[in-house]
Amino acid sequence: MNPTASSAREEILARIRAASGDAPSTDARIINRDYLAAHVETDLVDLLAENLTDYRARVYRAAAPADVAVIVAGLLHGPRLVVPDGVPDAWIPAEATALRDQPALDPATLDLTHAVLTGCALAIAETGTIVLDGGPGQGRRALTLVPDHHICVVRCPEQVVASIPQALPLLDPTRPQTWIAGPSATSDIELDRVEGVHGPRLLDVILLAARS
Amino acid sequence: MTGVYVGMPAFPTAARAATRNAQLRANLTRATHTIRDRRARAVAELEDWEGLRQAGKAIKDETLAHLDDYLLQLEAKVTEAGGTVHWARDADEANRIVTELIRATGGSDDQPHEVVKVKSMATQEIGLNEHLAAEGISAYETDLAELIVQLGDDLPSHILVPAIHKNRTEIRDIFRERMGEWGRPAPEGLTDTPADLAEAARLHLREKFLRAKVAVSGANFMVAETGTLVVLESEGNGRMCLTLPETLISVVGIEKIVPTWRDLEVFLQLLPRSSTAERMNPYTTMWTGTHEGDGPKQFHLVLLDNGRTQTLADEVGRQALRCIRCSACLNVCPVYERAGGHAYGSAYPGPIGAILTPQLRGTASELDASLPYASSLCGACFEACPVAIDIPEVLLHLRERVGREAKEHGGHRLERAAMKAATYAMTHPAVYRAAENAAVRARKLIPKKVPFGAGKAWTETRDLPELPEQTFRQWWKETHR
């Protein structure tokens, strides 16, 4: 740190201390959280499906891992399918050309693929949101960004929580996170919603039921 | 706070010019009413909205009360996670730091320096793009609306929808005429349907994303406890900038902190519904320093003061620092609806701009002195604010300050600019009707303490059932000539 930089830091901190001198010096710092931990308690998977659909994601249901492969095969617009480490083989249709991220695929290559197939860290029913954190079956962030079609599998019901307050304690802030609620969209032109600007224009979510 | 908007006329002059522009007014009216109605529905879905709002207010007040502690905590966590933290006292210092960081990433005559940018209020506030251009660095805005504004040599007019003042045909013309100068031209036969225009933007920007080495962003939130930065967006341009380049530089106001990871549960509910009226915006990115094998290898955080500490020093005015830039106050404001965003002469238009800009920049210029008067005090902004900023209270407080300073320094020049703004707000029937209908008329704020002539007259007219325009002007002539 050079002297100027250091003095900027000290000066800003000094200004803050002078400015907030009248603040109560309490150690309690307790926030009154007079709001709900969740707005719904039951039928979370149905609610997730409804809210995802409301924001123009397409939702499918699979009863077993082999069904995932069948659904994925029907969704693909071409064979080149990006598959991060940790995606079960059972999800990958035989007709797809699986592209592994080993060695790392460069952005130009990713741009020429047809789709990416991932799992997720969890899904939030109330807001219709899936969360990716780079864990198994999710890959690094670029993999779900550059391809124009993202197919995401949610294990139900164990990966589905009701609300944002229920989701945050389950997530690790030291991991990079992408929260996704519907495909890329813009309302910048006369407030007409248009799906698909820079992120994947198609978002397909497969709700995979636990083996009963 | 220095000048992106140099040479802007004071609010009333700019507002009058804007209200004569029928196209602008039609666009604005439709847009603000549409967002307003959608937002009301999104908020009504949550029965605990008021609880969330009060918690949002309390968390931000706690942040401001111990801002030094939280900044130091944040700095330690970001550094621990592989990031580098810089401190900037003002716009010049921030611009200089960012320029040096970009230069340090290499580049040559064959491959000149360029950066991709995510929409950021802080970098607009400091005029970063203009500064970089002067230094020979191209900064490409990647948000669709910002792209429209940039290609059209225009200025943003709304926090959330910066090109709200342009309709589809105007946008198509800008794309046709200007895209070729910046990179990939607009497709042949481009129509003015929003889907076609979005596709043109996708193609134009994709080549820039794929080759970009450096990105500049802001952030919606910074979590002191973990060192995590959070960006909410819709289009995916944010993800592109935050994920693909090797170097990421984030310029963020020091007030954008929340103390704990858990606090995000409040703001991730308040912001999307207040802003775009969605349960959740399409994309939210969170990162903590750098992540091995995922995203930028270098991360720099530039913490920006630029008038925030002087705002913090004002016990009444500091609540403006709670703002999370949702723009709900713009969409309910009768004055904004008529005047448009440009009339406010800064990166921050609408009611929040009327209290934030004069505090960040001070009230020495006619424009800044006039801003606290760019309001009918109807109180709709306060009702809509998800962190309960009492904007009318701060407006009155700042009017008092302008009055005092006008007496001490600027004399009649500042007072006149201020009064013209007040006259503007008071003499537009739609604006005044809104004020009349507001529930807040009986607020405790009706000032005993507006000391100088203009402000005093303003309060005297408050109790009249209708505002007699002519009488007011006659009064003005009589008392000021």
Side-chain angles (χ1 to χ4, degrees):
Chain A
M1 203 181 277
N2 67 46
T4 321
S6 157
S7 67
R9 177 178 183 272
E10 297 319 315
E11 196 176 320
I12 291 170
L13 289 170
R15 286 180 193 170
I16 291 169
R17 284 166 191 148
S20 54
D22 57 335
S25 59
T26 166
D27 289 329
R29 304 192 185 185
I30 291 169
I31 303 297
N32 181 15
R33 297 182 189 271
D34 189 17
Y35 53 87
L36 301 172
H39 300 86
V40 287
E41 278 160 18
T42 54
D43 302 322
L44 298 184
V45 175
D46 289 343
L47 182 63
L48 174 66
E50 188 185 315
N51 284 335
L52 280 165
T53 310
D54 196 27
Y55 285 163
R56 318 280 174 88
R58 301 184 302 190
V59 177
Y60 307 85
R61 292 182 190 248
D67 297 345
V68 173
V70 175
I71 294 168
V72 171
L75 294 173
L76 288 178
H77 297 280
R80 297 168 62 79
L81 180 66
V82 179
V83 182
D85 284 351
V87 169
D89 289 339
W91 293 358
I92 307 168
E95 47 274 66
T97 309
L99 300 169
R100 304 286 175 175
D101 195 33
Q102 283 299 344
L105 302 163
D106 62 41
T109 307
L110 283 173
D111 196 31
L112 296 171
T113 61
H114 295 105
V116 56
L117 173 64
T118 71
C120 65
L122 55 80
I124 304 166
E126 280 182 10
T127 58
T129 307
I130 52 176
V131 179
L132 274 64
D133 70 355
Q138 299 165 55
R140 60 198 170 93
R141 285 171 286 172
L143 301 190
T144 52
L145 172 62
V146 181
D148 203 14
H149 183 186
H150 180 193
I151 306 171
C152 181
V153 178
V154 182
R155 296 174 197 271
C156 301
E158 67 265 32
Q159 286 192 315
V160 183
V161 299
S163 65
I164 294 173
Q166 289 183 1
L168 283 164
L170 301 176
L171 294 165
D172 177 355
T174 65
R175 305 182 73 94
Q177 289 175 29
T178 307
W179 294 36
I180 300 172
S184 160
T186 184
S187 298
D188 280 349
I189 302 165
E190 296 183 16
L191 297 173
D192 279 358
R193 188 178 165 105
V194 176
E195 268 74 38
V197 195
H198 305 295
R201 285 182 283 192
L202 282 177
L203 175 65
D204 288 321
V205 179
I206 300 175
L207 305 176
L208 170 60
R211 267 157 283 175
S212 48
Chain B
M1 189 163 168
T2 53
V4 204
Y5 295 75
V6 250
M8 286 291 290
F11 180 86
T13 314
R16 253 192 296 276
T19 47
R20 277 196 295 267
N21 182 336
Q23 177 70 62
L24 172 69
R25 267 211 354 233
N27 293 357
L28 272 177
T29 302
R30 175 165 175 267
T32 52
H33 283 256
T34 306
I35 312 181
R36 189 192 303 186
D37 298 345
R38 284 184 198 160
R39 179 189 169 276
R41 284 197 295 276
V43 166
E45 271 187 15
L46 298 188
E47 68 214 74
D48 58 340
W49 183 258
E50 191 53 33
L52 286 165
R53 185 173 181 249
Q54 292 306 323
K57 170 179 188 276
I59 292 167
K60 279 294 186 178
D61 281 346
E62 163 59 26
T63 305
L64 295 173
H66 302 98
L67 190 56
D68 52 339
D69 288 358
Y70 291 123
L71 282 165
L72 291 173
Q73 208 182 342
L74 176 81
E75 179 187 50
K77 286 293 175 180
V78 169
T79 309
E80 198 180 294
T84 309
V85 178
H86 310 260
W87 301 69
R89 279 166 284 211
D90 54 29
D92 289 344
E93 194 163 30
N95 286 331
R96 207 160 53 235
I97 291 169
V98 174
T99 307
E100 283 167 16
L101 290 172
I102 295 169
R103 288 248 166 81
T105 61
S108 62
D109 290 344
D110 307 338
Q111 204 186 357
H113 285 290
E114 59 175 31
V115 299
V116 286
K117 280 192 70 207
V118 201
K119 178 173 178 304
S120 145
M121 305 298 300
T123 61
Q124 264 171 41
E125 175 190 319
I126 62 175
L128 178 65
N129 289 5
E130 292 77 3
H131 178 87
L132 292 179
E135 299 282 337
I137 299 168
S138 307
Y140 298 114
E141 290 293 348
T142 63
D143 172 77
L144 179 53
E146 292 284 349
L147 176 72
I148 295 165
V149 166
Q150 189 176 44
L151 290 175
D153 282 332
D154 202 350
L155 289 169
S157 63
H158 189 281
I159 290 174
L160 174 70
V161 207
I164 202 169
H165 57 293
K166 295 284 185 204
N167 67 20
R168 61 185 70 194
T169 312
E170 293 172 306
I171 294 167
R172 181 202 58 196
D173 293 345
I174 290 169
F175 279 13
R176 277 186 182 165
E177 284 160 28
R178 304 300 303 277
M179 267 186 173
E181 295 168 35
W182 289 75
R184 181 170 175 156
E188 282 296 312
L190 178 67
T191 74
D192 65 0
T193 61
D196 269 15
L197 295 170
E199 170 73 11
R202 178 187 177 90
L203 294 169
H204 178 76
L205 285 174
R206 185 145 286 227
E207 59 171 22
K208 292 188 167 57
F209 288 134
L210 296 187
R211 71 165 188 245
K213 296 276 184 280
V214 186
V216 175
S217 84
N220 295 99
F221 306 103
M222 307 188 284
V223 183
E225 176 186 48
T226 62
T228 308
L229 269 74
V230 185
V231 166
L232 282 70
E233 50 132 358
S234 299
E235 297 173 10
N237 63 307
R239 292 177 69 192
M240 289 280 177
C241 294
L242 301 170
T243 307
L244 294 184
E246 284 165 15
T247 301
L248 172 61
I249 304 164
S250 300
V251 182
V252 189
I254 52 175
E255 83 286 14
K256 289 282 189 111
I257 290 191
V258 298
T260 68
W261 176 249
R262 184 186 178 183
D263 293 329
L264 290 177
E265 73 186 19
V266 174
F267 295 100
L268 291 179
Q269 295 192 75
L270 287 175
L271 182 51
R273 286 177 202 261
S274 293
S275 179
T276 52
E278 290 167 307
R279 293 184 196 100
M280 197 73 213
N281 50 295
Y283 297 135
T284 302
T285 297
M286 304 188 191
W287 73 99
T288 305
T290 55
H291 300 278
E292 181 68 34
D294 188 347
K297 295 184 176 67
Q298 309 279 333
F299 170 57
H300 295 276
L301 172 60
V302 182
L303 295 170
L304 178 70
D305 180 346
N306 204 34
R308 284 159 178 76
T309 49
Q310 83 188 22
T311 307
L312 186 65
D314 186 319
E315 281 179 51
V316 177
R318 69 166 62 127
Q319 58 184 305
L321 297 175
R322 292 204 295 260
C323 175
I324 55 173
R325 313 282 188 262
C326 73
S327 70
C329 62
L330 277 60
N331 301 324
V332 297
C333 177
V335 175
Y336 174 83
E337 184 186 324
R338 309 283 292 189
H342 293 155
Y344 295 81
S346 88
Y348 306 106
I352 186 63
I355 62 168
L356 192 56
T357 305
Q359 296 199 84
L360 293 176
R361 292 203 289 221
T363 48
S365 78
E366 286 184 38
L367 168 64
D368 295 330
S370 72
L371 284 174
Y373 294 84
S375 167
S376 61
L377 297 183
C378 80
C381 48
F382 175 47
E383 301 294 316
C385 178
V387 286
I389 301 169
D390 193 338
I391 294 177
E393 180 187 18
V394 182
L395 285 167
L396 287 174
H397 174 72
L398 293 174
R399 287 178 186 188
E400 183 187 2
R401 189 167 112 188
V402 168
R404 201 172 52 238
E405 286 172 4
K407 277 224 164 68
E408 286 165 14
H409 312 295
H412 287 312
R413 185 176 59 87
L414 293 184
E415 215 172 301
R416 265 197 302 277
M419 271 322 298
K420 279 185 194 161
T423 311
Y424 173 82
M426 299 292 287
T427 54
H428 283 72
V431 170
Y432 185 67
R433 264 198 306 280
E436 239 185 356
N437 294 337
V440 287
R441 266 197 301 169
R443 297 167 62 86
K444 60 181 179 345
L445 323 161
I446 299 303
K448 294 183 200 84
K449 37 182 196 175
V450 177
F452 74 116
K456 200 161 131 259
W458 197 95
T459 55
E460 279 166 3
T461 58
R462 285 294 283 185
D463 293 324
L464 297 174
E466 211 160 321
L467 183 71
E469 177 178 333
Q470 199 51 43
T471 308
F472 181 80
R473 286 184 179 164
Q474 281 167 348
W475 172 88
W476 177 251
K477 272 186 187 156
E478 284 164 19
T479 50
H480 284 76
R481 297 295 158 198

